[in-house]
Amino acid sequence: DLRRSPLLERKRVLSELLGPPTARARVRYCEHAQGGGPELFANACRVPFEGLVSKRANSVYQEKRTHDWLKAKCLNRQEFVIGGLKPNATSFESLLVGYYEGNKLHFAGKVRAGLTPHARGEIVCAIASDKTTHCPFVNLPIGKTSHWGEAISEEEMTRLLWVKPRLVVEVSFVEWT
């Protein structure tokens, strides 16, 4: 049990157990890199990896998140047009956003996370005069909602509020499914 041993000691033992690189098959050992965090992170995002976990060399293994291990995620950014929203009691649960191909607005997904109450209020005010009765998307994914929630059920369709697609938002995301 090496959980109480410092990270560099645990990595030394792991490297010995795995043997030379040719014997490692599908398991990849990652050498410890000291310093150069911003450059390592930029390179990881170019690969593209999901991100990096920075660990203190003398940290022991812990089963919970601590300040000794910091996760930095690589995020993609894209501008999307708001075509609708799913209202809730206070403002909205999610935005329905899309992108144009030619003059047709294609559904890209739902945006839920990262919106503060203040930002939600500003969005509601900005689109208040843009309400419309028809869906502006040419390809809205109607059907059974999956694990990621990209599909829109028929019941959900009755509760959605459509808007004229004029307001653009920039969205950060890990992946676009």
Side-chain angles (χ1 to χ4, degrees):
D1 183 357
L2 298 173
R3 288 179 290 178
R4 304 306 307 158
S5 300
L7 173 67
L8 290 182
E9 174 63 14
R10 296 192 315 273
K11 290 187 78 150
R12 184 192 62 75
V13 172
L14 177 62
S15 177
E16 289 175 5
L17 288 171
L18 291 173
T22 56
R24 293 183 185 153
R26 294 168 41 183
V27 176
R28 294 183 185 184
Y29 175 78
C30 183
E31 294 289 339
H32 189 79
Q34 188 79 23
E39 184 180 339
L40 286 172
F41 181 69
N43 288 335
C45 293
R46 273 193 288 275
V47 169
F49 289 146
E50 182 180 332
L52 289 180
V53 177
S54 301
K55 302 176 180 181
R56 292 192 190 279
N58 64 350
S59 64
V60 298
Y61 181 82
Q62 295 188 41
E63 296 176 9
K64 59 183 179 182
R65 194 174 290 226
T66 72
H67 293 294
D68 288 336
W69 291 13
L70 300 175
K71 185 175 185 179
K73 284 189 171 188
C74 298
L75 295 176
N76 298 298
R77 300 173 79 84
Q78 177 70 41
E79 287 186 341
F80 292 105
V81 180
I82 299 174
L85 56 85
K86 182 177 181 182
N88 64 15
T90 56
S91 64
F92 61 88
E93 181 180 310
S94 59
L95 293 174
L96 284 74
V97 298
Y99 58 94
Y100 278 100
E101 280 188 8
N103 62 353
K104 295 182 179 182
L105 184 62
H106 291 263
F107 180 73
K110 299 175 186 175
V111 177
R112 291 183 193 92
L115 293 164
T116 65
H118 178 74
R120 289 174 187 269
E122 286 184 332
I123 291 170
V124 167
C125 288
I127 63 175
S129 63
D130 293 336
K131 293 178 186 174
T132 184
T133 56
H134 71 279
C135 172
F137 300 105
V138 296
N139 66 332
L140 200 60
I142 298 172
K144 185 177 179 183
T145 301
S146 72
H147 169 75
W148 293 106
E150 66 272 2
I152 296 174
S153 69
E154 288 195 34
E155 186 230 327
E156 190 176 17
M157 282 290 288
T158 64
R159 297 191 317 256
L160 298 177
L161 173 68
W162 304 115
V163 297
K164 295 174 191 164
R166 68 165 187 85
L167 187 62
V168 175
V169 292
E170 183 177 21
V171 178
S172 297
F173 53 92
V174 174
E175 66 178 336
W176 181 0
T177 56

